[in-house]
Amino acid sequence: MMKNGSHLLHVQELKTYFYTFEGTARAVDDVSFYLNKGETLGLVGESGCGKSVTALSLMRLIPEPPGRIVHGKIDFDGINLPDLSMSEMRNIRGNRISMIFQEPMTSLNPVFTIGNQLAEMFMFHQKLSKKESWNRSIEMLRLVQIPSPEKRILEYPYQLSGGMRQRAMIAMALSCDPEILIADEPTTALDVTIQAQVLDLMIQLKENFDAAIILITHDLGVVAEIAQRIEVMYAGKVVEEAQAISLFEDPKHPYTRGLLKSIPKLGQRARHGRRRLQEISGVVPSLYELPTGCSFYPRCSQARAVCQENEPELIELEDSHRVRCWLYQGR
């Protein structure tokens, strides 16, 4: 029974900082969002915007030191995850909340077979015997459409293709039937045909397992296919939040508009001739040297004097569409 209203997960004012010799990096700075049962939430933004650190914070996998969750609540089914001991967190991690990491080649252990790594999940969380765990591992590989699972289960990660390694990671993440699946750039470094297969597989498995998904990506085209709601992050903050349809039809924040305009459109060249893709000028600022006021100010074509002086608040416009921009403050 969920104790925080209708939300399975409710993140409130989360701040995760890294303390180094260079200074303090505010990787996640006052981030709030919620996730409902069976829902898919897209977490979008360029590299360095805080998406992966947000996910690692939810999993309590931030390396301490130098990182630390300095403020905020992560309310999962009535439990505040930062209050748990590491032993208590291990019972949730991989069991009730699982994560597909960005690069399976570095996330899978190279010295153990795929079967050993999968079976460990069943033995640790579900207390199954070695034989039962092995049989369940074969079933999971078959479920994620890996051919000849009885053979593949005996192979090491380097013997599998990138697409198969990603499928193995998905099998491992889903092995204990989690309530939340966090997918961190699950299609990175895969060719487009394999990307489509992995996304189709995630949609199918979501329906079968009724798991809520947090999909982290820099590609708005990916979340368009699978997410119901989207959170756009920039420099450690949420700058826009909306239903997927609303965000694509009427993006509010200049950063979101820039991301959408940078997506190539099928047939655009044929209709309009050769034309460069629009791009967002500049780069994401260093988390050690964030500009005063709005962090997007130096790259924004609609910036005003107030943008450089003061940081805007995240305000709600209509139909749960929220934006952090001075263009809409005071409406």
Side-chain angles (χ1 to χ4, degrees):
M1 178 179 178
M2 284 177 279
K3 302 174 181 61
N4 53 342
S6 60
H7 307 319
L8 176 62
L9 177 73
H10 194 188
V11 177
Q12 302 172 63
E13 301 176 354
L14 179 64
K15 297 183 180 183
T16 301
Y17 295 172
F18 289 84
Y19 300 92
T20 71
F21 291 115
E22 295 180 58
T24 301
R26 294 177 288 173
V28 176
D29 197 13
D30 198 21
V31 166
S32 299
F33 62 86
Y34 65 88
L35 181 70
N36 296 323
K37 182 178 174 66
E39 183 181 38
T40 299
L41 175 71
L43 210 55
V44 178
E46 295 169 282
S47 297
C49 285
K51 308 182 303 296
S52 294
V53 176
T54 299
L56 293 173
S57 299
L58 302 184
M59 297 289 287
R60 294 276 306 277
L61 289 174
I62 297 295
E64 300 183 20
R68 185 158 60 91
I69 297 175
V70 298
H71 181 75
K73 293 183 65 177
I74 305 172
D75 190 333
F76 169 61
D77 196 14
I79 304 167
N80 187 30
L81 298 184
D83 290 341
L84 299 182
S85 66
M86 291 313 294
S87 175
E88 291 170 324
M89 192 62 209
R90 277 192 291 269
N91 290 327
I92 289 179
R93 189 190 301 133
N95 188 24
R96 300 184 66 188
I97 305 177
S98 285
M99 186 167 177
I100 304 170
F101 292 93
Q102 187 167 349
E103 177 46 64
M105 193 59 190
T106 57
S107 303
L108 293 167
N109 194 319
V111 300
F112 290 102
T113 65
I114 296 298
N116 283 331
Q117 296 182 63
L118 263 170
E120 183 182 28
M121 299 288 293
F122 294 110
M123 288 189 284
F124 180 81
H125 289 297
Q126 300 187 359
K127 311 302 179 186
L128 299 183
S129 67
K130 187 173 182 180
K131 183 178 180 180
E132 290 173 321
S133 299
W134 198 259
N135 290 335
R136 286 290 302 278
S137 299
I138 293 174
E139 290 175 16
M140 288 303 301
L141 291 185
R142 185 175 288 113
L143 185 66
V144 296
Q145 302 170 13
I146 289 183
S148 307
E150 296 85 357
K151 176 185 175 183
R152 300 298 181 187
I153 204 168
L154 299 171
E155 295 181 338
Y156 292 87
Y158 77 89
Q159 294 176 287
L160 303 182
S161 67
M164 282 194 182
R165 284 196 295 267
Q166 194 62 284
R167 290 171 187 266
M169 282 292 298
I170 293 172
M172 194 175 298
L174 291 170
S175 59
C176 295
D177 193 8
E179 295 159 70
I180 296 176
L181 175 64
I182 302 172
D184 187 4
E185 302 276 9
T187 58
T188 295
L190 301 178
D191 62 62
V192 290
T193 55
I194 301 301
Q195 282 184 23
Q197 291 174 16
V198 169
L199 287 176
D200 288 342
L201 176 63
M202 288 183 61
I203 293 170
Q204 177 187 332
L205 294 175
K206 173 182 179 291
E207 293 172 353
N208 293 344
F209 286 82
D210 195 30
I213 294 178
I214 297 176
L215 177 62
I216 298 170
T217 181
H218 61 273
D219 188 346
L220 277 164
V222 170
V223 293
E225 293 188 40
I226 189 173
Q228 283 86 53
R229 286 189 303 110
I230 298 175
E231 306 272 344
V232 181
M233 289 190 67
Y234 186 78
K237 296 181 181 293
V238 173
V239 296
E240 187 163 1
E241 172 191 307
Q243 297 291 325
I245 294 174
S246 175
L247 185 131
F248 280 95
E249 289 183 348
D250 187 19
K252 303 294 187 184
H253 199 282
Y255 178 61
T256 308
R257 292 176 193 160
L259 291 176
L260 287 169
K261 288 178 181 177
S262 66
I263 300 174
K265 294 178 175 59
L266 190 65
Q268 187 179 62
R269 179 179 174 183
R271 291 196 303 270
H272 304 291
R274 181 182 292 274
R275 191 167 72 179
R276 287 177 60 89
L277 282 174
Q278 294 191 41
E279 61 185 26
I280 304 173
S281 63
V283 295
V284 178
S286 167
L287 295 175
Y288 295 107
E289 298 175 353
L290 291 173
T292 56
C294 174
S295 296
F296 189 61
Y297 167 79
R299 307 175 68 188
C300 184
S301 60
Q302 297 177 272
R304 306 171 178 180
V306 68
C307 303
Q308 187 177 16
E309 297 166 0
N310 300 294
E311 182 183 347
E313 296 180 359
L314 188 64
I315 62 169
E316 185 166 340
L317 301 180
E318 72 280 330
D319 298 327
S320 300
H321 197 142
R322 301 198 299 164
V323 64
R324 187 189 300 274
C325 181
W326 279 111
L327 293 174
Y328 305 94
Q329 304 290 318
R331 283 194 172 190

